[in-house]
Amino acid sequence: MEAQGALGASIDAVRRTPQGRLSVWLAGCLAALVAFYLSGFRHPPGWGSLRTGCLTLAVFALAALYRVRKRWTWWDLRTMWFGARLPARLGGWWRRADRLETWRHVHIAAGLGVMIPLWWHIQEGAGASRLEIVLLAIVGLLLVSGVSGVLIQDFLPHAMRIRPGYEVRLEDIEGALHDLYVEAEEAILGRPEAFVQTYLRDIRPLMLGSPRSAALLWATLTGSDPTTAVTDRLAHRQPETSDPAAWERLTKLVERKLRLDHNRVNLRLSRGWVSAHLVLVVLLAVLVSFHIAGALYFAGL
Amino acid sequence: MTAQSAATAPDELWRLLQQCDALRTFSEREREALLTAIPHEPGMGVRRFAARELICRKGEYELSLCIVLEGCAAVVNDVDPALPPTAIFMPGSIFGELGAMRGRPRSSDVAALAPTLVFFVPRHALKYLEVNEYARNLLAERYREHAVRAMMHQVDLFAALPREFIDRLIPHCRIERHDLRGVPVVQQGAEGTGFYIVLDGFVQVVRQRDDQQNRVLAYLREGECFGEMSLLGSGFAWASVLTAGKCELIKIDKDGFRELCRDFPAVEQRLREVIARRQEQENRVTAELSELLEKSGQLGIIQAEALLVMDLDRCTGCDNCVSACESLHGRSRLIRNGVQIGQYLVPAACRHCDDPKCMNACPTGAVRRRAEGEIYFDYEACIGCGNCAIACPFDTIMMIDTPVFDAAQARKSAIMGREFFRPPAPESREEPVGLLGQLLGRGRRKPLTRPQPAPAEATHVPSSYPIKCDLCDGLPFMGCVHSCPTGAAMRIEAAELFANLHVVTSRAHVRRVEEAG
Ligand code: HEM
Ligand code: SF4
Ligand code: SF4
């Protein structure tokens, strides 16, 4: 893969943004967070629940702003509108700072950084009610989902790519599966009865069915190839009278079909975890508003 | 340029045009066709320039042939305009044939020395001159001379050649044009017949090794040469050279080449260094790399000026790049699928080809190229015929309905706060609003910075417009790259992509040489 390496080096030289792998950034942020915690640094003495609470809320909002930047073109167009009016050098800096890649890094720093004001806020608080305990659990889950998301986003694309013949887009997979099925059905036309029967018994169910997602997910996690067991089994079931090349071709089709199924599970995972992350964010928002309302009601400003 | 269009009566115009040799033998019918085309062909007509005004600027892709009708123009030194001009164009003279006939940027600054009238014939309207055989031959002859001179001037290998020698060399030169890919120009093992310089496009160097395997060694582009090995070495070609698409070559015959080497030993010395480098390249190119190069050439990747590349090791498939493109331009001009080279995906998006088929197919000259190389549409000249969409070999142009197109253009105008994009039909114009209104998204546009077409001229609004990736022309960022959260999407010049493999030189190299020249 010498040529690939050379292409990669050229691309790295051209890449305008300095950021590397997200997991490295995450590790750096986590280390900074732990160091901060161990240093025992406290907020200014005059800061009570209100100030630490507001700061926590502000950092939560900063983290949530990522969604606004990512999904709402209106926002992006306005920032660009503003950038276009700045002097050239400043405008260039503004544009680089506004890249979604930069925002993603800021999001992770904010998502972890929120633990600092939250910690201060908890220390200032007067014991936790059930609501606050659930709230903290949600924050914990959000953190876990965020960290798993970083790992998924960093390592999954590579894991998918090392398997040959995969689809890049989720929406192309259905069509590709259909084409494979049609190809398999055409491959048995005019074959002897025994061959067709073996096909109907051993291959067609594989072509039409879907392997268990859990098994495919396990293959992703362990880095194993989910097709080997099936292709080995098919090699033993080859009908006696058959033309080996035709069976070989059908086996290849099954192999590709399984790879596509695996690819589909991976792509769903790659996008799906964000939904879990988002559900937690919504829950957090609801609980935080209850928490604030309660605090205002019972304690007042 | 503040040139004004000058309305000239047809008879008067014809009288002035008659000063030009190329038009002397025009028949009555050819004359009629030319004169009646003027009001209908965008960019064709007479323009008046004040003394010292620039008529064309070096590096600009303004693809028109210019005929001086009155006054006088001259090639001026773009660094120090006070230096004496290097060529003077009197009434009847032609200039700009390199741009008009080859689609290349202007090679020098030309300015009016006195108040001057110039007749502009854009590239797409050259047919009105070329119908006449005499004019066709004359233009071809001038083109050859000018192309050879410009190339000798641009390539640093020949920078030391004096003008008199180039004059002597021109009769030994021939222009070879090829339209198809894979045409052998030089066959490995065949006797050398000449020395070639690539004038335009790309050629592929392929060598059959002793083990009978073919290896693609490199692609040569504008300003690079080949054929020297057979003439300086064994007499037989060391490798084959095939066209990598449409290309133009200058062929210097054996006698001319011998004269060149005899009179300028330094040139021969440099060529021998080139030979040594090429022979080294053979050891460097593995079977895998050769295959990659072959595939990249076939898919137009080598010829691309600006490739959108996605690193599949980073891409999470979120499709944010596609949505960003869609929200900016009305419909996504990028499909996140295409050719995979190892871990990189080159999606179906315009490649800004070195030899853009879309540009050649446009009947009105609405497909244009900027000095930086990007291909864009001049929507005011577009008639919505869809020829470009049919011509693009990579299927990257799509036609979208005018209302969707207009809405997207208006949105972009609003971001930039100026009428940069095609003005929509007059009725959809809105009053300018203040800063707050614009921030709230209500502002549609500020007053125009360039003259609007009068309503009468704007009556024909095509039902659809072509869109394709124009690198977000006019916007300060590229939507897809800017909105990719993982940094997977990036734009890269093919030469940059292959930089570490030494298989294709950068266009910037040619430009730098041009500037030095
Ligand atoms: C403080 C609380 C947090 C909030 C309110 C929050 C909110 C969000 C939102 C709204 C998105 C956008 C989802 C989308 O539409 O694509 C998102 C994405 C993401 N979050 Fe969080 N998040 C938080 C904490 C974290 C943490 C602690 C991490 C990691 C350690 C993290 C990692 C990510 C990642 C990797 C993405 C996907 C980025 C992308 O590729 O677009 N988040 N988050
Ligand atoms: S539209 Fe097609 S032909 Fe034109 S420059 Fe882009 S890729 Fe090349
Ligand atoms: S935005 Fe980036 S990560 Fe998302 S699909 Fe496009 S290239 Fe891939």
Side-chain angles (χ1 to χ4, degrees):
Chain A
M1 287 279 109
E2 187 193 318
Q4 304 295 335
L7 291 187
S10 318
I11 288 185
D12 285 342
V14 171
R15 215 188 279 278
R16 301 277 184 264
T17 44
Q19 294 99 336
R21 288 270 162 200
L22 200 63
S23 38
V24 176
W25 174 255
L26 175 73
C29 291
L30 272 173
L33 190 67
V34 171
F36 191 88
Y37 180 79
L38 293 180
S39 77
F41 183 84
R42 290 291 306 268
H43 56 280
W47 286 25
S49 293
L50 180 67
R51 284 199 187 170
T52 51
C54 285
L55 186 63
T56 313
L57 197 63
V59 185
F60 269 134
L62 174 66
L65 204 61
Y66 177 67
R67 164 99 186 170
V68 178
R69 163 64 181 86
K70 187 175 177 187
R71 302 284 151 136
W72 201 20
T73 319
W74 185 92
W75 169 278
D76 199 24
L77 294 186
R78 296 303 123 179
T79 44
M80 278 304 134
W81 179 91
F82 181 72
R85 275 150 192 80
L86 292 174
R89 261 188 76 186
L90 215 58
W93 180 87
W94 176 265
R95 276 193 297 281
R96 270 193 298 283
D98 185 56
R99 281 179 64 130
L100 197 61
E101 200 184 347
T102 322
W103 274 86
R104 186 160 164 257
H105 283 75
V106 171
H107 172 73
I108 284 161
L112 291 177
V114 77
M115 296 303 148
I116 296 169
L118 187 65
W119 171 47
W120 292 341
H121 189 58
I122 293 169
Q123 283 177 331
E124 286 294 333
S129 69
R130 269 196 207 134
L131 174 74
E132 274 86 43
I133 292 173
V134 177
L135 192 57
L136 281 180
I138 297 281
V139 173
L141 283 177
L142 195 61
L143 200 79
V144 172
S145 80
V147 172
S148 3
V150 169
L151 299 179
I152 287 175
Q153 290 203 335
D154 241 12
F155 300 113
L156 200 61
H158 178 72
M160 282 193 271
R161 202 185 58 71
I162 51 175
R163 303 260 172 255
Y166 72 104
E167 291 296 326
V168 172
R169 301 194 309 164
L170 192 56
E171 51 271 48
D172 293 337
I173 291 182
E174 206 48 60
L177 285 174
H178 178 258
D179 292 349
L180 281 183
Y181 175 66
V182 171
E183 199 178 331
E185 293 284 304
E186 282 174 1
I188 56 153
L189 291 179
R191 302 263 162 218
E193 185 58 23
F195 188 95
V196 175
Q197 286 307 327
T198 324
Y199 166 82
L200 291 177
R201 192 189 62 224
D202 292 332
I203 293 191
R204 189 190 258 178
L206 290 173
M207 294 305 287
L208 287 175
S210 294
R212 279 186 312 123
S213 302
L216 295 175
L217 205 58
W218 182 246
T220 303
L221 290 176
T222 54
S224 57
D225 187 344
T227 64
T228 24
V230 179
T231 47
D232 284 353
R233 203 173 62 230
L234 286 179
H236 291 117
R237 303 240 173 122
Q238 184 170 348
E240 298 260 308
T241 53
S242 82
D243 154 13
W247 190 254
E248 171 83 19
R249 184 171 159 213
L250 285 172
T251 313
K252 284 260 170 288
L253 291 178
V254 172
E255 189 182 337
R256 169 131 170 84
K257 146 88 170 65
L258 290 177
R259 284 208 197 294
L260 283 178
D261 284 327
H262 188 200
N263 189 200
R264 177 154 59 184
V265 167
N266 284 338
L267 282 174
R268 282 194 181 140
L269 176 65
S270 143
R271 288 193 193 179
W273 80 269
V274 179
S275 318
H277 192 65
L278 271 178
V279 168
L280 289 171
V281 171
V282 172
L283 270 178
L284 179 81
V286 172
L287 293 181
V288 164
S289 22
F290 279 130
H291 167 77
I292 294 173
L296 289 181
Y297 183 77
F298 292 113
L301 271 179
Chain B
M1 266 182 265
T2 53
Q4 292 173 356
S5 302
T8 315
D11 286 344
E12 172 62 3
L13 175 61
W14 186 246
R15 187 186 65 75
L16 293 170
L17 280 173
Q18 285 280 289
Q19 304 171 88
C20 174
D21 249 4
L23 287 107
R24 279 214 191 115
T25 62
F26 264 48
S27 68
E28 192 56 30
R29 255 190 42 218
E30 289 162 350
R31 183 191 99 114
E32 268 312 300
L34 175 73
L35 293 178
T36 44
I38 295 172
H40 310 292
E41 290 290 353
M44 190 173 181
V46 180
R47 277 186 246 167
R48 185 184 300 281
F49 293 86
R52 293 224 288 274
E53 195 179 347
L54 267 189
I55 301 176
C56 47
R57 194 185 300 274
K58 184 172 169 177
E60 260 183 9
Y61 280 88
E62 214 261 297
L63 311 179
S64 300
L65 184 84
C66 302
I67 304 175
V68 181
L69 301 180
E70 254 178 35
C72 172
V75 173
V76 288
N77 190 302
D78 54 317
V79 184
D80 183 2
L83 286 175
T86 44
I88 296 194
F89 303 110
M90 299 306 288
S93 307
I94 294 178
F95 61 88
E97 62 277 11
L98 276 194
M101 296 172 72
R102 185 150 58 99
R104 305 315 300 162
R106 299 291 196 204
S107 57
S108 40
D109 281 351
V110 177
L113 291 185
T116 303
L117 269 190
V118 181
F119 183 62
F120 280 74
V121 187
R123 182 175 160 79
H124 62 270
L126 271 188
K127 51 188 179 267
Y128 296 106
L129 297 185
E130 290 185 331
V131 281
N132 180 281
E133 195 186 339
Y134 177 72
R136 194 169 57 241
N137 292 339
L138 193 107
L139 285 178
E141 186 54 31
R142 286 209 43 143
Y143 173 73
R144 176 179 74 128
E145 208 182 306
H146 193 163
V148 172
R149 270 187 216 291
M151 193 38 84
M152 295 288 171
H153 192 61
Q154 284 166 13
V155 179
D156 56 354
L157 180 66
F158 305 112
L161 302 190
R163 205 188 158 93
E164 304 75 56
F165 183 80
I166 295 176
D167 287 344
R168 258 189 13 237
L169 197 62
I170 285 175
H172 293 283
C173 297
R174 218 179 65 206
I175 303 274
E176 278 188 14
R177 279 200 186 98
H178 298 277
D179 287 319
L180 298 176
R181 193 192 139 67
V183 179
V185 182
V186 170
Q187 290 271 25
Q188 183 174 340
E191 197 183 336
T193 56
F195 173 69
Y196 294 84
I197 305 169
V198 183
L199 192 55
D200 197 12
F202 285 77
V203 293
Q204 185 191 48
V205 183
V206 186
R207 175 157 163 80
Q208 190 175 53
R209 290 155 33 114
D210 298 339
D211 57 7
Q212 302 303 308
Q213 277 187 18
N214 281 335
R215 290 274 159 91
V216 178
L217 298 186
Y219 285 85
L220 305 179
R221 72 185 314 167
E222 179 187 349
E224 293 186 283
C225 46
F226 60 94
E228 72 288 333
M229 283 204 201
S230 58
L231 301 180
L232 291 177
S234 62
F236 299 100
W238 177 77
S240 298
V241 178
L242 313 174
T243 58
K246 193 170 164 185
C247 65
E248 248 184 337
L249 311 165
I250 299 177
K251 180 177 181 182
I252 305 179
D253 64 21
K254 267 186 186 174
D255 294 340
F257 183 73
R258 281 204 197 105
E259 228 174 280
L260 176 76
C261 292
R262 192 191 58 221
D263 293 2
F264 298 92
V267 171
E268 181 178 338
Q269 180 55 34
R270 293 276 303 274
L271 286 173
R272 289 198 184 275
E273 286 165 22
V274 171
I275 294 178
R277 270 206 307 277
R278 292 211 175 131
Q279 283 172 336
E280 262 170 44
Q281 177 74 356
E282 190 193 1
N283 303 328
R284 220 180 289 147
V285 174
T286 57
E288 178 217 354
L289 174 57
S290 168
E291 200 181 308
L292 179 79
L293 291 179
E294 173 65 28
K295 190 170 158 195
S296 309
Q298 273 175 20
L299 298 166
I301 292 172
I302 291 278
Q303 296 89 329
E305 289 278 316
L307 275 179
L308 175 61
V309 176
M310 285 171 183
D311 183 346
L312 292 176
D313 250 4
R314 282 171 178 252
C315 173
T316 58
C318 66
D319 265 338
N320 225 44
C321 44
V322 178
S323 353
C325 187
E326 180 168 337
S327 56
L328 282 173
H329 308 296
R331 170 106 59 91
S332 177
R333 309 185 289 184
L334 142 75
I335 298 164
R336 202 171 45 79
N337 210 346
V339 191
Q340 280 184 40
I341 308 178
Q343 80 182 71
Y344 302 102
L345 173 78
V346 182
C350 173
R351 280 131 205 224
H352 304 270
C353 308
D354 183 71
D355 157 37
K357 304 275 185 287
C358 54
M359 196 181 209
N360 294 336
C362 176
T364 64
V367 184
R368 290 164 164 252
R369 169 161 245 157
R370 271 191 212 298
E372 295 77 23
E374 76 229 40
I375 302 284
Y376 71 101
F377 294 111
D378 174 359
Y379 286 115
E380 284 183 45
C382 177
I383 51 169
C385 67
N387 275 4
C388 51
I390 298 167
C392 170
F394 309 109
D395 221 5
T396 66
I397 300 185
M398 56 189 98
M399 303 297 294
I400 64 165
D401 293 344
T402 301
V404 183
F405 172 82
D406 267 351
Q409 298 299 86
R411 214 176 309 135
K412 286 189 276 182
S413 296
I415 319 174
M416 302 311 296
R418 62 193 151 110
E419 197 63 70
F420 184 90
F421 303 91
R422 186 194 79 88
E427 62 273 21
S428 68
R429 230 162 257 281
E430 278 182 14
E431 282 304 302
V433 292
L435 185 77
L436 185 67
Q438 291 210 20
L439 268 174
L440 292 172
R442 279 199 232 110
R444 288 286 291 263
R445 53 202 69 258
K446 285 172 80 175
L448 298 178
T449 53
R450 60 176 169 170
Q452 293 177 53
E457 281 177 44
T459 43
H460 171 70
V461 178
S463 61
S464 59
Y465 278 99
I467 60 163
K468 67 160 194 78
C469 174
D470 55 7
L471 304 180
C472 288
D473 184 38
L475 291 174
F477 63 106
M478 282 180 248
C480 52
V481 176
H482 192 72
S483 295
C484 170
T486 63
M490 73 205 96
R491 284 284 177 178
I492 184 166
E493 197 193 317
E496 280 177 315
L497 184 63
F498 292 100
N500 291 331
L501 299 171
H502 312 283
V503 289
V504 54
T505 52
S506 154
R507 186 177 179 79
H509 147 84
V510 183
R511 279 206 204 107
R512 232 176 296 127
V513 179
E514 266 175 24
E515 273 151 27

